[in-house]
Amino acid sequence: MTIQIGDRIPDATLTTMTPDGPKPVTTAELFGGKTVALFAVPGAFTPTCSARHLPGYVDHRADLAGKGVDTVACVSVNDAFVMGAWAKANDLNGADDVVMLADGNGDFTRAVGLALDAKGFGMGERSQRYSMLVKDGVVDQLNIEQGGEFKVSSAEHLLAQL
C-alpha cells in the first residue's frame, strides 16, 4: 500500500556516498527531529531527473530552508557509487545542498509503496517520481507524479505547499 499523509516513514537503511566510501543512513537518523524535503527520481543521470528535477531542488535549497526545511534529500533506486557520481557531476556538497540517497535494492521504495516497473525501458524496478515533506518522521505532504509527468514533485510545487 502507498504511504499516505499522516503515516510514519518506515524503518529502512539507505546509503550515501562520503569521501571515505558508502555510508549507511537509517530513516530514523535522516528524518528524526527534522523537517525533510524528500524527492525521488526513477534514475540518476536520466533526462528529466538531471535537467529539471534535481536542479530545481538545488536552485531552491535556500528557499526551502527559509520555510523551515532542515534537509533536502534525493532518493533513487541506484547504488551509492552512481548517486555519488551524480552528486559530483552536479557540484553538490552533501547536506549543504542535497543529500543523495541510494536505495540500491529498492527496499525503501517498496516499503513506501512507490515502486515503478521500468523493465520496458531496460531499467528494472525503480522508484516513481514523487516529493514529500516529512516532519519528524511523519509525512506532511505527498506529491506523486502520474506516469511520464513532471509537475507536482517539483521543488516549486513543494515550496508552494509550505
Side-chain angles (χ1 to χ4, degrees):
M1 187 162 116
T2 303
I3 197 163
Q4 301 292 314
I5 292 173
D7 288 351
R8 180 159 288 286
I9 293 290
D11 290 331
T13 300
L14 300 159
T15 308
T16 188
M17 185 54 76
T18 72
D20 297 323
K23 176 187 171 207
V25 59
T26 66
T27 51
E29 293 169 319
L30 181 66
F31 297 106
K34 299 177 206 138
T35 298
V36 178
L38 177 71
F39 67 103
V41 298
F45 292 107
T46 57
T48 301
C49 305
S50 290
R52 298 176 64 201
H53 212 172
L54 177 59
Y57 280 92
V58 172
D59 292 347
H60 290 289
R61 176 66 181 102
D63 300 326
L64 290 161
K67 296 282 189 173
V69 172
D70 300 304
T71 303
V72 175
C74 174
V75 64
S76 184
V77 180
N78 285 114
D79 63 65
F81 296 98
V82 169
M83 293 301 282
W86 198 31
K88 186 175 181 179
N90 285 280
D91 295 319
L92 299 181
N93 297 310
D96 294 336
D97 290 318
V98 175
V99 177
M100 303 299 271
L101 300 166
D103 184 20
N105 294 324
D107 295 337
F108 174 78
T109 297
R110 281 189 303 281
V112 296
L114 290 166
L116 169 70
D117 181 353
K119 292 176 189 150
F121 302 102
M123 296 171 63
E125 184 178 69
R126 295 296 178 116
S127 175
Q128 292 182 49
R129 185 181 306 280
Y130 66 87
S131 69
M132 64 172 73
L133 185 71
V134 182
K135 293 184 178 180
D136 193 22
V138 177
V139 179
D140 185 71
Q141 296 289 335
L142 177 63
N143 308 296
I144 304 169
E145 293 290 357
Q146 296 299 310
E149 290 190 356
F150 176 67
K151 296 176 185 173
V152 300
S153 66
S154 71
E156 295 82 4
H157 185 85
L158 189 62
L159 192 55
Q161 292 177 310
L162 301 177

mmCIF file of all heavy atoms in Angstrom, residues 50-91:
data_model
loop_
_atom_site.group_PDB
_atom_site.id
_atom_site.type_symbol
_atom_site.label_atom_id
_atom_site.label_comp_id
_atom_site.label_asym_id
_atom_site.label_seq_id
_atom_site.Cartn_x
_atom_site.Cartn_y
_atom_site.Cartn_z
ATOM 1 N N SER A 50 17.902 14.763 -14.409
ATOM 2 C CA SER A 50 19.121 15.577 -14.455
ATOM 3 C C SER A 50 18.885 17.007 -14.922
ATOM 4 O O SER A 50 19.546 17.925 -14.450
ATOM 5 C CB SER A 50 20.148 14.921 -15.382
ATOM 6 O OG SER A 50 20.645 13.751 -14.801
ATOM 7 N N ALA A 51 17.968 17.175 -15.854
ATOM 8 C CA ALA A 51 17.765 18.505 -16.436
ATOM 9 C C ALA A 51 16.800 19.375 -15.637
ATOM 10 O O ALA A 51 16.912 20.601 -15.666
ATOM 11 C CB ALA A 51 17.250 18.370 -17.874
ATOM 12 N N ARG A 52 15.863 18.749 -14.894
ATOM 13 C CA ARG A 52 14.830 19.538 -14.233
ATOM 14 C C ARG A 52 14.629 19.232 -12.756
ATOM 15 O O ARG A 52 14.528 20.149 -11.944
ATOM 16 C CB ARG A 52 13.504 19.357 -14.985
ATOM 17 C CG ARG A 52 13.614 19.862 -16.423
ATOM 18 C CD ARG A 52 12.366 19.625 -17.236
ATOM 19 N NE ARG A 52 11.247 20.372 -16.701
ATOM 20 C CZ ARG A 52 9.977 20.055 -16.949
ATOM 21 N NH1 ARG A 52 9.675 19.027 -17.697
ATOM 22 N NH2 ARG A 52 8.997 20.780 -16.434
ATOM 23 N N HIS A 53 14.526 17.930 -12.407
ATOM 24 C CA HIS A 53 14.142 17.588 -11.042
ATOM 25 C C HIS A 53 15.219 17.970 -10.028
ATOM 26 O O HIS A 53 14.971 18.771 -9.131
ATOM 27 C CB HIS A 53 13.800 16.098 -10.954
ATOM 28 C CG HIS A 53 12.750 15.791 -9.938
ATOM 29 N ND1 HIS A 53 12.188 14.553 -9.825
ATOM 30 C CD2 HIS A 53 12.155 16.540 -8.987
ATOM 31 C CE1 HIS A 53 11.290 14.563 -8.852
ATOM 32 N NE2 HIS A 53 11.267 15.763 -8.336
ATOM 33 N N LEU A 54 16.402 17.404 -10.153
ATOM 34 C CA LEU A 54 17.495 17.723 -9.237
ATOM 35 C C LEU A 54 17.856 19.211 -9.271
ATOM 36 O O LEU A 54 17.953 19.841 -8.209
ATOM 37 C CB LEU A 54 18.717 16.853 -9.532
ATOM 38 C CG LEU A 54 19.964 17.126 -8.685
ATOM 39 C CD1 LEU A 54 19.690 16.945 -7.200
ATOM 40 C CD2 LEU A 54 21.112 16.235 -9.147
ATOM 41 N N PRO A 55 18.032 19.829 -10.452
ATOM 42 C CA PRO A 55 18.382 21.260 -10.460
ATOM 43 C C PRO A 55 17.364 22.149 -9.746
ATOM 44 O O PRO A 55 17.734 23.136 -9.116
ATOM 45 C CB PRO A 55 18.468 21.600 -11.945
ATOM 46 C CG PRO A 55 18.812 20.316 -12.605
ATOM 47 C CD PRO A 55 18.073 19.265 -11.812
ATOM 48 N N GLY A 56 16.092 21.802 -9.815
ATOM 49 C CA GLY A 56 15.070 22.597 -9.130
ATOM 50 C C GLY A 56 15.285 22.619 -7.625
ATOM 51 O O GLY A 56 15.171 23.663 -6.980
ATOM 52 N N TYR A 57 15.602 21.464 -7.069
ATOM 53 C CA TYR A 57 15.838 21.400 -5.622
ATOM 54 C C TYR A 57 17.158 22.070 -5.238
ATOM 55 O O TYR A 57 17.246 22.705 -4.183
ATOM 56 C CB TYR A 57 15.769 19.955 -5.120
ATOM 57 C CG TYR A 57 14.330 19.524 -4.945
ATOM 58 C CD1 TYR A 57 13.649 18.900 -5.985
ATOM 59 C CD2 TYR A 57 13.639 19.795 -3.768
ATOM 60 C CE1 TYR A 57 12.315 18.535 -5.848
ATOM 61 C CE2 TYR A 57 12.311 19.431 -3.624
ATOM 62 C CZ TYR A 57 11.650 18.808 -4.664
ATOM 63 O OH TYR A 57 10.325 18.468 -4.533
ATOM 64 N N VAL A 58 18.152 21.976 -6.080
ATOM 65 C CA VAL A 58 19.410 22.684 -5.824
ATOM 66 C C VAL A 58 19.163 24.191 -5.852
ATOM 67 O O VAL A 58 19.568 24.920 -4.942
ATOM 68 C CB VAL A 58 20.497 22.276 -6.843
ATOM 69 C CG1 VAL A 58 21.731 23.156 -6.699
ATOM 70 C CG2 VAL A 58 20.853 20.802 -6.686
ATOM 71 N N ASP A 59 18.457 24.659 -6.880
ATOM 72 C CA ASP A 59 18.187 26.090 -7.029
ATOM 73 C C ASP A 59 17.331 26.652 -5.896
ATOM 74 O O ASP A 59 17.469 27.821 -5.542
ATOM 75 C CB ASP A 59 17.489 26.372 -8.363
ATOM 76 C CG ASP A 59 18.380 26.139 -9.563
ATOM 77 O OD1 ASP A 59 19.615 26.000 -9.389
ATOM 78 O OD2 ASP A 59 17.838 26.065 -10.696
ATOM 79 N N HIS A 60 16.447 25.841 -5.334
ATOM 80 C CA HIS A 60 15.517 26.317 -4.299
ATOM 81 C C HIS A 60 15.880 25.858 -2.895
ATOM 82 O O HIS A 60 15.082 26.006 -1.966
ATOM 83 C CB HIS A 60 14.091 25.879 -4.636
ATOM 84 C CG HIS A 60 13.523 26.593 -5.813
ATOM 85 N ND1 HIS A 60 13.174 27.924 -5.776
ATOM 86 C CD2 HIS A 60 13.280 26.170 -7.073
ATOM 87 C CE1 HIS A 60 12.725 28.291 -6.959
ATOM 88 N NE2 HIS A 60 12.788 27.249 -7.769
ATOM 89 N N ARG A 61 17.106 25.349 -2.722
ATOM 90 C CA ARG A 61 17.525 24.874 -1.399
ATOM 91 C C ARG A 61 17.397 25.963 -0.342
ATOM 92 O O ARG A 61 16.851 25.730 0.743
ATOM 93 C CB ARG A 61 18.968 24.344 -1.465
ATOM 94 C CG ARG A 61 19.550 23.919 -0.124
ATOM 95 C CD ARG A 61 18.804 22.708 0.425
ATOM 96 N NE ARG A 61 19.322 22.293 1.711
ATOM 97 C CZ ARG A 61 18.742 22.551 2.885
ATOM 98 N NH1 ARG A 61 17.614 23.234 2.943
ATOM 99 N NH2 ARG A 61 19.268 22.128 4.001
ATOM 100 N N ALA A 62 17.857 27.146 -0.620
ATOM 101 C CA ALA A 62 17.792 28.242 0.355
ATOM 102 C C ALA A 62 16.342 28.655 0.627
ATOM 103 O O ALA A 62 15.984 28.967 1.760
ATOM 104 C CB ALA A 62 18.606 29.435 -0.124
ATOM 105 N N ASP A 63 15.507 28.658 -0.409
ATOM 106 C CA ASP A 63 14.090 28.993 -0.227
ATOM 107 C C ASP A 63 13.399 27.977 0.679
ATOM 108 O O ASP A 63 12.602 28.341 1.543
ATOM 109 C CB ASP A 63 13.365 29.026 -1.579
ATOM 110 C CG ASP A 63 13.943 30.052 -2.536
ATOM 111 O OD1 ASP A 63 14.406 31.118 -2.070
ATOM 112 O OD2 ASP A 63 13.950 29.779 -3.750
ATOM 113 N N LEU A 64 13.709 26.706 0.475
ATOM 114 C CA LEU A 64 13.136 25.651 1.317
ATOM 115 C C LEU A 64 13.617 25.801 2.753
ATOM 116 O O LEU A 64 12.826 25.683 3.697
ATOM 117 C CB LEU A 64 13.488 24.275 0.753
ATOM 118 C CG LEU A 64 12.779 23.913 -0.558
ATOM 119 C CD1 LEU A 64 13.513 22.784 -1.280
ATOM 120 C CD2 LEU A 64 11.333 23.530 -0.300
ATOM 121 N N ALA A 65 14.897 26.107 2.932
ATOM 122 C CA ALA A 65 15.434 26.322 4.275
ATOM 123 C C ALA A 65 14.734 27.493 4.952
ATOM 124 O O ALA A 65 14.423 27.437 6.146
ATOM 125 C CB ALA A 65 16.938 26.551 4.217
ATOM 126 N N GLY A 66 14.458 28.526 4.184
ATOM 127 C CA GLY A 66 13.756 29.690 4.715
ATOM 128 C C GLY A 66 12.343 29.383 5.165
ATOM 129 O O GLY A 66 11.759 30.123 5.965
ATOM 130 N N LYS A 67 11.783 28.289 4.673
ATOM 131 C CA LYS A 67 10.428 27.852 5.056
ATOM 132 C C LYS A 67 10.476 26.745 6.108
ATOM 133 O O LYS A 67 9.484 26.092 6.379
ATOM 134 C CB LYS A 67 9.668 27.352 3.832
ATOM 135 C CG LYS A 67 9.408 28.413 2.794
ATOM 136 C CD LYS A 67 8.254 29.289 3.203
ATOM 137 C CE LYS A 67 7.861 30.196 2.044
ATOM 138 N NZ LYS A 67 6.650 30.934 2.334
ATOM 139 N N GLY A 68 11.677 26.506 6.689
ATOM 140 C CA GLY A 68 11.786 25.559 7.787
ATOM 141 C C GLY A 68 12.287 24.174 7.437
ATOM 142 O O GLY A 68 12.316 23.285 8.297
ATOM 143 N N VAL A 69 12.699 23.955 6.196
ATOM 144 C CA VAL A 69 13.220 22.645 5.796
ATOM 145 C C VAL A 69 14.672 22.533 6.238
ATOM 146 O O VAL A 69 15.508 23.364 5.874
ATOM 147 C CB VAL A 69 13.076 22.431 4.272
ATOM 148 C CG1 VAL A 69 13.787 21.169 3.824
ATOM 149 C CG2 VAL A 69 11.602 22.398 3.878
ATOM 150 N N ASP A 70 14.965 21.509 7.031
ATOM 151 C CA ASP A 70 16.322 21.283 7.525
ATOM 152 C C ASP A 70 17.201 20.569 6.503
ATOM 153 O O ASP A 70 18.391 20.859 6.397
ATOM 154 C CB ASP A 70 16.287 20.430 8.804
ATOM 155 C CG ASP A 70 15.491 21.092 9.915
ATOM 156 O OD1 ASP A 70 15.821 22.232 10.273
ATOM 157 O OD2 ASP A 70 14.542 20.457 10.407
ATOM 158 N N THR A 71 16.614 19.620 5.793
ATOM 159 C CA THR A 71 17.376 18.781 4.873
ATOM 160 C C THR A 71 16.585 18.584 3.592
ATOM 161 O O THR A 71 15.376 18.368 3.634
ATOM 162 C CB THR A 71 17.644 17.385 5.494
ATOM 163 O OG1 THR A 71 18.323 17.555 6.740
ATOM 164 C CG2 THR A 71 18.466 16.506 4.571
ATOM 165 N N VAL A 72 17.277 18.668 2.468
ATOM 166 C CA VAL A 72 16.705 18.288 1.174
ATOM 167 C C VAL A 72 17.434 17.028 0.757
ATOM 168 O O VAL A 72 18.669 16.985 0.767
ATOM 169 C CB VAL A 72 16.878 19.396 0.116
ATOM 170 C CG1 VAL A 72 16.383 18.920 -1.241
ATOM 171 C CG2 VAL A 72 16.146 20.667 0.536
ATOM 172 N N ALA A 73 16.669 15.994 0.419
ATOM 173 C CA ALA A 73 17.283 14.715 0.069
ATOM 174 C C ALA A 73 16.636 14.143 -1.179
ATOM 175 O O ALA A 73 15.436 14.286 -1.401
ATOM 176 C CB ALA A 73 17.141 13.730 1.227
ATOM 177 N N CYS A 74 17.464 13.497 -1.976
ATOM 178 C CA CYS A 74 17.032 12.826 -3.200
ATOM 179 C C CYS A 74 17.279 11.343 -3.040
ATOM 180 O O CYS A 74 18.370 10.938 -2.647
ATOM 181 C CB CYS A 74 17.827 13.358 -4.390
ATOM 182 S SG CYS A 74 17.516 12.494 -5.939
ATOM 183 N N VAL A 75 16.268 10.525 -3.349
ATOM 184 C CA VAL A 75 16.430 9.078 -3.283
ATOM 185 C C VAL A 75 16.161 8.470 -4.649
ATOM 186 O O VAL A 75 15.291 8.946 -5.391
ATOM 187 C CB VAL A 75 15.512 8.454 -2.200
ATOM 188 C CG1 VAL A 75 14.046 8.640 -2.517
ATOM 189 C CG2 VAL A 75 15.846 6.996 -1.971
ATOM 190 N N SER A 76 16.937 7.462 -4.977
ATOM 191 C CA SER A 76 16.769 6.752 -6.237
ATOM 192 C C SER A 76 17.182 5.303 -6.051
ATOM 193 O O SER A 76 18.051 5.003 -5.233
ATOM 194 C CB SER A 76 17.623 7.398 -7.334
ATOM 195 O OG SER A 76 17.392 6.767 -8.575
ATOM 196 N N VAL A 77 16.555 4.427 -6.817
ATOM 197 C CA VAL A 77 16.953 3.019 -6.810
ATOM 198 C C VAL A 77 18.170 2.901 -7.724
ATOM 199 O O VAL A 77 18.083 2.508 -8.882
ATOM 200 C CB VAL A 77 15.792 2.094 -7.245
ATOM 201 C CG1 VAL A 77 16.247 0.632 -7.233
ATOM 202 C CG2 VAL A 77 14.585 2.288 -6.339
ATOM 203 N N ASN A 78 19.273 3.356 -7.192
ATOM 204 C CA ASN A 78 20.594 3.272 -7.804
ATOM 205 C C ASN A 78 21.549 2.918 -6.676
ATOM 206 O O ASN A 78 21.203 3.034 -5.509
ATOM 207 C CB ASN A 78 21.029 4.615 -8.408
ATOM 208 C CG ASN A 78 20.350 4.959 -9.706
ATOM 209 O OD1 ASN A 78 19.582 5.912 -9.776
ATOM 210 N ND2 ASN A 78 20.614 4.204 -10.753
ATOM 211 N N ASP A 79 22.777 2.550 -7.014
ATOM 212 C CA ASP A 79 23.750 2.268 -5.967
ATOM 213 C C ASP A 79 24.427 3.569 -5.518
ATOM 214 O O ASP A 79 24.304 4.613 -6.154
ATOM 215 C CB ASP A 79 24.772 1.224 -6.421
ATOM 216 C CG ASP A 79 25.617 1.683 -7.587
ATOM 217 O OD1 ASP A 79 26.395 2.651 -7.418
ATOM 218 O OD2 ASP A 79 25.527 1.070 -8.655
ATOM 219 N N ALA A 80 25.120 3.483 -4.388
ATOM 220 C CA ALA A 80 25.749 4.671 -3.798
ATOM 221 C C ALA A 80 26.817 5.267 -4.704
ATOM 222 O O ALA A 80 27.018 6.486 -4.707
ATOM 223 C CB ALA A 80 26.350 4.316 -2.441
ATOM 224 N N PHE A 81 27.484 4.452 -5.503
ATOM 225 C CA PHE A 81 28.528 4.963 -6.396
ATOM 226 C C PHE A 81 27.916 5.821 -7.504
ATOM 227 O O PHE A 81 28.440 6.876 -7.851
ATOM 228 C CB PHE A 81 29.349 3.809 -6.971
ATOM 229 C CG PHE A 81 30.099 3.066 -5.908
ATOM 230 C CD1 PHE A 81 29.578 1.895 -5.383
ATOM 231 C CD2 PHE A 81 31.293 3.549 -5.404
ATOM 232 C CE1 PHE A 81 30.250 1.211 -4.379
ATOM 233 C CE2 PHE A 81 31.976 2.879 -4.402
ATOM 234 C CZ PHE A 81 31.446 1.704 -3.882
ATOM 235 N N VAL A 82 26.784 5.376 -8.035
ATOM 236 C CA VAL A 82 26.084 6.157 -9.061
ATOM 237 C C VAL A 82 25.564 7.461 -8.464
ATOM 238 O O VAL A 82 25.731 8.535 -9.053
ATOM 239 C CB VAL A 82 24.928 5.340 -9.692
ATOM 240 C CG1 VAL A 82 24.031 6.228 -10.547
ATOM 241 C CG2 VAL A 82 25.473 4.187 -10.521
ATOM 242 N N MET A 83 24.956 7.379 -7.287
ATOM 243 C CA MET A 83 24.434 8.597 -6.654
ATOM 244 C C MET A 83 25.575 9.558 -6.306
ATOM 245 O O MET A 83 25.437 10.768 -6.438
ATOM 246 C CB MET A 83 23.610 8.247 -5.415
ATOM 247 C CG MET A 83 22.325 7.494 -5.746
ATOM 248 S SD MET A 83 21.201 8.393 -6.840
ATOM 249 C CE MET A 83 20.466 9.547 -5.673
ATOM 250 N N GLY A 84 26.713 9.014 -5.876
ATOM 251 C CA GLY A 84 27.875 9.857 -5.593
ATOM 252 C C GLY A 84 28.406 10.524 -6.843
ATOM 253 O O GLY A 84 28.770 11.704 -6.832
ATOM 254 N N ALA A 85 28.442 9.790 -7.943
ATOM 255 C CA ALA A 85 28.901 10.362 -9.211
ATOM 256 C C ALA A 85 27.938 11.437 -9.705
ATOM 257 O O ALA A 85 28.362 12.467 -10.240
ATOM 258 C CB ALA A 85 29.048 9.260 -10.264
ATOM 259 N N TRP A 86 26.642 11.211 -9.504
ATOM 260 C CA TRP A 86 25.641 12.203 -9.920
ATOM 261 C C TRP A 86 25.784 13.470 -9.082
ATOM 262 O O TRP A 86 25.700 14.579 -9.601
ATOM 263 C CB TRP A 86 24.248 11.598 -9.810
ATOM 264 C CG TRP A 86 23.172 12.311 -10.566
ATOM 265 C CD1 TRP A 86 23.299 13.015 -11.732
ATOM 266 C CD2 TRP A 86 21.791 12.377 -10.231
ATOM 267 N NE1 TRP A 86 22.079 13.508 -12.129
ATOM 268 C CE2 TRP A 86 21.138 13.118 -11.226
ATOM 269 C CE3 TRP A 86 21.047 11.858 -9.179
ATOM 270 C CZ2 TRP A 86 19.772 13.380 -11.202
ATOM 271 C CZ3 TRP A 86 19.681 12.100 -9.160
ATOM 272 C CH2 TRP A 86 19.053 12.860 -10.154
ATOM 273 N N ALA A 87 26.029 13.305 -7.784
ATOM 274 C CA ALA A 87 26.256 14.463 -6.914
ATOM 275 C C ALA A 87 27.487 15.232 -7.373
ATOM 276 O O ALA A 87 27.459 16.465 -7.494
ATOM 277 C CB ALA A 87 26.416 14.011 -5.460
ATOM 278 N N LYS A 88 28.566 14.509 -7.657
ATOM 279 C CA LYS A 88 29.808 15.151 -8.103
ATOM 280 C C LYS A 88 29.602 15.867 -9.439
ATOM 281 O O LYS A 88 30.078 16.985 -9.634
ATOM 282 C CB LYS A 88 30.906 14.102 -8.228
ATOM 283 C CG LYS A 88 32.264 14.676 -8.533
ATOM 284 C CD LYS A 88 33.335 13.596 -8.512
ATOM 285 C CE LYS A 88 34.688 14.203 -8.797
ATOM 286 N NZ LYS A 88 35.743 13.190 -8.764
ATOM 287 N N ALA A 89 28.880 15.244 -10.355
ATOM 288 C CA ALA A 89 28.620 15.857 -11.662
ATOM 289 C C ALA A 89 27.800 17.136 -11.542
ATOM 290 O O ALA A 89 27.843 17.990 -12.428
ATOM 291 C CB ALA A 89 27.898 14.864 -12.571
ATOM 292 N N ASN A 90 27.078 17.278 -10.418
ATOM 293 C CA ASN A 90 26.256 18.468 -10.197
ATOM 294 C C ASN A 90 26.836 19.386 -9.131
ATOM 295 O O ASN A 90 26.144 20.283 -8.638
ATOM 296 C CB ASN A 90 24.828 18.041 -9.817
ATOM 297 C CG ASN A 90 24.070 17.546 -11.018
ATOM 298 O OD1 ASN A 90 23.563 18.331 -11.805
ATOM 299 N ND2 ASN A 90 24.022 16.231 -11.198
ATOM 300 N N ASP A 91 28.103 19.167 -8.780
ATOM 301 C CA ASP A 91 28.810 20.003 -7.800
ATOM 302 C C ASP A 91 28.060 20.146 -6.481
ATOM 303 O O ASP A 91 27.996 21.235 -5.905
ATOM 304 C CB ASP A 91 29.104 21.395 -8.379
ATOM 305 C CG ASP A 91 30.052 21.350 -9.551
ATOM 306 O OD1 ASP A 91 31.019 20.578 -9.485
ATOM 307 O OD2 ASP A 91 29.817 22.071 -10.536
#
